[in-house]
Amino acid sequence: MSLTSAVKDELARLRVDKVSARKAEVAATLRFAGGLHIISGRIVVEAELDTAIAARRLRQTMQEVYGHSSDIIVVSGGGLRRGNRYVVRVVKDGESLARQTGLLDTRGRPVRGLPPQVVSAGVAEATAAWRGAFLAHGSLTEPGRSSSLEVTCPGPEAALALVGAARRMSVVAKAREVRGIDRVVIRDGDAISAMLTRMGAHDAVLVWEERRMRREVRGTANRLANFDDANLRRSARAAVAAGARVERAFEILGEEVPEHLVEAGRLRLEHKQASLEELGQLSNPPLTKDAVAGRIRRLLAMADKRAREKGIPDTEAILTPDMLDL
């Protein structure tokens, strides 16, 4: 089961006892999942949902809170829409339900955002509105760089009303229009967790947080591995470059090299991929890596000085662009 399906399944099973919260959820579900239609001169209320359990929840709540019966029509998936869709339709007394839920104002005009009684209500009603909107047209993506909790809205007014409801819950959400479609999006991981918890998807938020933590740990491990790999490549190139310079130093100095510097230089040539610490362990007697580095540095400095005196290329002249790419 996808994260979105898991959240919707859990929310559709959540028990809510507060009547005002149940009314806010019904109003938001109807507003975001469908709308009002005029059929044969009568107002019909419809809501199209993608899960059967959400459709049954909406139908049951409308019956218990408002006393209106409804029908459920199953629409088989086809084309771009995969899976069945469930249309909850109220034909008898549709206008009465629309007025009771606030989808029609006092003058009989459709409300463009959310009903005033939802917009001006408290945190419980704001939470219920978000729950209804998510059941209608919500989605939750996997944790990661592009993770988001998103609700597709019927218009900009509804999107702004949903943003305001999130603000009452101390959750930051943003309204945006993408390809002519209004959406409300939450991208921050902590804010997504907070919204899921507020809506009542406690099991789903545990799964989401577990996947989020696993992804963060994996990302940290990959970054450390890449960092170590880069360091190893950098150290190897530096060792090869040092070996080339040492070889050039022996050509410049000939026999005029102190024995202890000769030993350090030969170790460098014989073990071109080894680190300075490894060269120190190979020395007899063993040396610290600072001691090995100091001897090689003095050898190269001596050779460069002699090269300047002779007017010939020094030890750095032997380096290639690959060796210099440190």
Side-chain angles (χ1 to χ4, degrees):
M1 183 182 295
S2 68
L3 280 175
T4 299
S5 299
V7 174
K8 289 187 177 182
D9 183 75
E10 187 173 1
L11 294 182
R13 299 176 190 276
L14 182 68
R15 179 181 175 87
V16 179
D17 295 323
K18 191 175 182 180
V19 175
S20 61
R22 300 183 75 186
K23 288 182 176 180
E25 182 182 318
V26 169
T29 304
L30 294 175
R31 184 72 184 92
F32 282 78
L36 308 178
H37 305 282
I38 298 179
I39 300 177
S40 300
R42 302 170 61 183
I43 293 180
V44 175
V45 179
E46 283 188 349
E48 183 176 323
L49 301 164
D50 56 3
T51 62
I53 190 171
R56 289 196 297 269
R57 178 185 180 88
L58 175 61
R59 186 185 188 194
Q60 180 181 356
T61 306
M62 288 192 299
Q63 176 66 47
E64 293 177 355
V65 175
Y66 295 107
H68 292 289
S69 59
S70 58
D71 300 319
I72 295 182
I73 302 170
V74 180
V75 181
S76 299
L80 296 177
R81 287 190 172 185
R82 291 179 296 179
N84 293 336
R85 311 286 294 180
Y86 303 88
V87 178
V88 180
R89 178 179 293 172
V90 178
V91 178
K92 183 181 178 181
D93 296 328
E95 181 175 353
S96 175
L97 176 63
R99 291 184 182 276
Q100 288 175 308
T101 55
L103 297 180
L104 288 178
D105 62 17
T106 55
R107 297 184 179 181
R109 297 175 302 186
V111 171
R112 300 181 66 85
L114 282 174
Q117 61 266 34
V118 176
V119 173
S120 60
V123 174
E125 290 73 22
T127 302
W130 259 91
R131 185 163 51 247
F134 191 90
L135 285 170
H137 263 300
S139 64
L140 176 64
T141 59
E142 291 284 341
R145 186 174 300 176
S146 59
S147 62
S148 67
L149 189 154
E150 183 176 296
V151 176
T152 303
C153 305
E157 297 85 359
L160 291 176
L162 205 59
V163 169
R167 190 182 303 117
R168 293 204 297 279
M169 291 184 280
S170 301
V171 177
V172 177
K174 294 183 179 180
R176 60 185 57 186
E177 182 181 335
V178 181
R179 298 176 183 175
I181 299 175
D182 293 285
R183 305 176 189 273
V184 173
V185 182
I186 302 174
R187 293 201 178 278
D188 180 73
D190 293 336
I192 291 175
S193 294
M195 179 57 75
L196 291 173
T197 303
R198 284 279 196 179
M199 289 192 298
H202 301 291
D203 293 339
V205 76
L206 291 177
V207 174
W208 194 88
E209 282 290 357
E210 181 185 355
R211 295 184 185 180
R212 178 189 177 193
M213 185 178 300
R214 189 184 308 151
R215 188 179 183 90
E216 288 177 354
V217 170
R218 188 184 302 119
T220 301
N222 289 339
R223 284 193 297 272
L224 290 175
N226 292 336
F227 179 76
D228 291 342
D229 186 55
N231 280 342
L232 287 174
R233 290 197 303 270
R234 192 178 296 111
S235 298
R237 286 198 298 267
V240 171
R245 291 189 66 190
V246 167
E247 190 172 2
R248 174 60 181 165
F250 283 155
E251 293 176 1
I252 296 172
L253 295 174
E255 300 296 330
E256 304 175 12
V257 186
E259 184 61 31
H260 66 290
L261 300 187
V262 171
E263 181 185 1
R266 284 177 178 170
L267 284 173
R268 178 76 283 171
L269 291 178
E270 292 171 2
H271 308 279
K272 291 185 177 180
Q273 300 293 335
S275 65
L276 291 173
E277 186 175 359
E278 291 170 336
L279 292 182
Q281 294 172 355
L282 292 170
S283 178
N284 187 20
L287 300 172
T288 65
K289 66 176 183 179
D290 292 334
V292 175
R295 292 184 179 188
I296 293 176
R297 191 163 52 246
R298 287 195 295 275
L299 172 64
L300 298 178
M302 184 183 298
D304 289 340
K305 181 179 179 182
R306 183 60 56 84
R308 287 194 297 271
E309 293 173 353
K310 293 181 178 181
I312 60 176
D314 60 11
T315 60
E316 292 187 354
I318 199 68
L319 300 180
T320 63
D322 289 341
M323 296 177 184
L324 293 173
D325 184 21
L326 304 179

